[in-house]
Amino acid sequence: MPILLALAALRPALAEPLPAVRAQLVPVHATLISSEMAGRIAELPLREGERFEAGATLLRFACSEQESRLARAEATLTKKQRTLEVNARLNKMQSISKLELDISKAEVDEAAADVQLAQTLNKRCLIKAPFPGRVVERHAQRYQSVSEGAPLLDILDDSQFEIEAIVPSQWLQWLQPGHVFTLDVDETGKHYEARIARIGARVDPVSQSVKIYGQLQTPAPELLAGMSGQLQITP
């Protein structure tokens, strides 16, 4: 009996199971597109859930006024350039003063700046997709007049997801970037292999937790942003 008691004392205590941790899929690229100008929406071709490629037109404003301003600025620039060419020839023949030639050059620079400003304002009339993805939500409708700064479209790139989870800060004793884990997604009922991509820069002192970010090992087209599940990880 004493020998059995001694063996029992030497036996290591079983490690406590890790607490259950929930994780969520978050798109790497997602943004809310707001209006850079006040105006009326002329085109809004995509509906919620539809896909688009990078550079595709997401929205176009009715911008006849901006287009007219650009055409007028370009015409003024052409006129000033012709005047400068004539004055340059006259200056060579000493028919005008150097001051008049300098004024012509300054007028060309001024007209070129007006064209650049008009082009910048005109570009605001067309909103193109910064990345490929899908429309999450439309906050405006075609023919609607919106103010500057008004929200227009929520979009995201559903080809790249991150896995976000909040874990106990004690896990930092063994958890490092590159650590492999499994995510059991509720909505699909499937298991997905992933690895830790990075660890948050701050520990919450109240909950003694830290945020971690994971990356899927292989693409999974069936996954959608916002899906969640159980994180399975072994120290």
Side-chain angles (χ1 to χ4, degrees):
M1 183 65 68
I3 296 177
L4 294 177
L5 292 174
L7 291 175
L10 292 174
R11 185 186 306 162
L14 293 176
E16 294 184 2
L18 296 177
V21 172
R22 300 288 298 176
Q24 184 179 8
L25 290 171
V26 178
V28 175
H29 301 295
T31 187
L32 170 62
I33 295 180
S34 300
S35 175
E36 296 185 22
M37 58 177 286
R40 182 175 61 85
I41 299 173
E43 291 183 17
L44 191 57
L46 297 175
R47 295 174 294 179
E48 295 175 354
E50 290 188 327
R51 295 188 177 276
F52 54 83
E53 297 297 327
T57 298
L58 299 179
L59 184 145
R60 185 177 68 83
F61 285 98
C63 284
S64 56
E65 181 180 352
Q66 286 82 351
E67 292 168 357
S68 298
R69 287 181 179 178
L70 176 58
R72 180 176 179 178
E74 290 174 340
T76 301
L77 176 59
T78 300
K79 181 176 68 174
K80 298 295 184 182
Q81 287 173 336
R82 297 284 175 81
T83 302
L84 176 60
E85 292 171 1
V86 172
N87 287 344
R89 290 195 296 268
L90 293 175
N91 182 63
K92 288 181 180 180
M93 296 183 292
Q94 297 183 347
S95 298
I96 63 171
S97 65
K98 186 177 182 302
L99 176 61
E100 290 176 300
L101 180 63
D102 291 340
I103 291 176
S104 293
K105 291 179 180 178
E107 288 178 345
V108 168
D109 293 339
E110 183 181 4
D114 289 340
V115 169
Q116 186 175 5
L117 176 60
Q119 289 174 341
T120 301
L121 296 176
N122 201 48
K123 286 180 180 179
R124 295 180 179 179
C125 298
L126 197 64
I127 297 178
K128 293 184 176 294
F131 49 76
R134 300 175 69 181
V135 176
V136 179
E137 185 177 359
R138 298 200 323 184
H139 299 281
Q141 302 298 326
R142 188 181 180 186
Y143 307 125
Q144 180 180 345
S145 295
V146 297
S147 59
E148 183 177 351
L152 300 174
L153 290 170
D154 261 315
I155 61 173
L156 61 81
D157 180 3
D158 61 346
S159 64
Q160 300 182 61
F161 289 112
E162 279 190 333
I163 301 169
E164 287 189 6
I166 297 176
V167 302
S169 57
Q170 289 85 354
W171 287 16
L172 295 177
Q173 299 175 17
W174 50 267
L175 188 62
Q176 296 293 331
H179 199 110
V180 177
F181 65 93
T182 302
L183 178 66
D184 300 336
V185 177
D186 299 339
E187 287 81 2
T188 64
K190 296 181 180 180
H191 313 289
Y192 301 89
E193 295 296 323
R195 63 178 180 84
I196 302 297
R198 64 187 192 279
I199 297 174
R202 176 181 295 176
V203 171
D204 187 333
V206 177
S207 61
Q208 291 188 316
S209 61
V210 64
K211 184 174 286 189
I212 62 172
Y213 303 87
Q215 188 175 27
L216 294 171
Q217 298 282 53
T218 56
E222 71 274 13
L223 295 178
L224 296 175
M227 287 184 175
S228 61
Q230 192 82 10
L231 188 144
Q232 304 291 343
I233 192 167
T234 303

